[in-house]
Amino acid sequence: MSAGAILNSSLGHEIDSHDAVLRFNSAPTKGYEKDVGNKTTMRIINSQLWDIIQENTKEKIQPNPPSSGFIGIFIMMSMCSEVHVYEYIPSIRQTDLCHYHELYHDAACTLGAYHPLLYEKLLVQRMNTGIKDDLYQKGKVILPGFRSVRCRRRFWFP
């Protein structure tokens, strides 16, 4: 993630050791390699599609889209057998710095104002199969990929 809390984490080498690394929006790696690494396999950019949606409906829409981080997590879960996510759920380094590469401070970046971050983070925390201490120290969760999830029953949706 691009959270400000990843600054001074020294997680760059660990992040780069993964098979694939997903980056978000305009978050740079140059100058931040020690903390975020420099490997980039895929990048998701939040395109702010709400104006287009509003133009095509008569009802007033309350923009409250999922975060690009949440969308990215689910994309990676659909492609990988296991997904490691850093600082989506804040570690002991939690800060009100929104992104590691910007000097913009706002607690709403972690707690959620524009996105339903609280609900997203609670769901991700419930799905975590990783070590509790990693969550506390590194903000790291390990999520099973969808292909590794086995359903006991068949489901039918009308």
Side-chain angles (χ1 to χ4, degrees):
M1 296 298 158
S2 302
I6 203 143
L7 275 177
N8 302 313
S9 67
S10 299
L11 289 170
H13 180 72
E14 182 175 334
I15 291 169
D16 280 349
S17 72
H18 292 86
D19 294 334
V21 176
L22 175 65
R23 306 253 178 218
F24 297 93
N25 298 315
S26 61
T29 57
K30 189 173 184 177
Y32 301 97
E33 294 90 348
K34 179 179 169 256
D35 296 322
V36 303
N38 62 9
K39 183 177 186 176
T40 302
T41 310
M42 186 183 328
R43 185 174 291 273
I44 290 181
I45 298 175
N46 188 344
S47 61
Q48 305 298 319
L49 299 166
W50 289 102
D51 291 337
I52 294 168
I53 294 170
Q54 185 63 69
E55 289 171 6
N56 290 290
T57 186
K58 294 177 183 177
E59 292 79 21
K60 179 70 176 157
I61 295 175
Q62 173 63 43
N64 194 18
S67 67
S68 54
F70 192 69
I71 292 168
I73 287 169
F74 277 86
I75 287 172
M76 296 307 281
M77 288 177 73
S78 70
M79 296 179 355
C80 304
S81 59
E82 187 174 85
V83 177
H84 296 200
V85 183
Y86 296 84
E87 291 297 349
Y88 184 69
I89 298 173
S91 68
I92 58 172
R93 290 184 304 275
Q94 180 176 349
T95 176
D96 65 354
L97 180 64
C98 287
H99 302 106
Y100 67 84
H101 57 93
E102 298 175 323
L103 291 177
Y104 179 71
H105 295 264
D106 186 350
C109 292
T110 298
L111 304 174
Y114 184 67
H115 302 294
L117 290 176
L118 176 62
Y119 302 107
E120 292 177 9
K121 291 178 183 202
L122 286 172
L123 176 59
V124 168
Q125 188 170 359
R126 287 186 66 197
M127 294 187 315
N128 181 25
T129 61
I131 302 167
K132 237 182 196 179
D133 193 50
D134 277 352
L135 178 58
Y136 180 71
Q137 296 293 328
K138 300 178 182 180
K140 177 182 177 182
V141 295
I142 299 176
L143 306 174
F146 293 136
R147 293 180 182 164
S148 65
V149 175
R150 300 283 181 238
C151 296
R152 293 184 186 160
R153 298 180 184 166
R154 293 182 182 195
F155 291 93
W156 177 75
F157 294 98

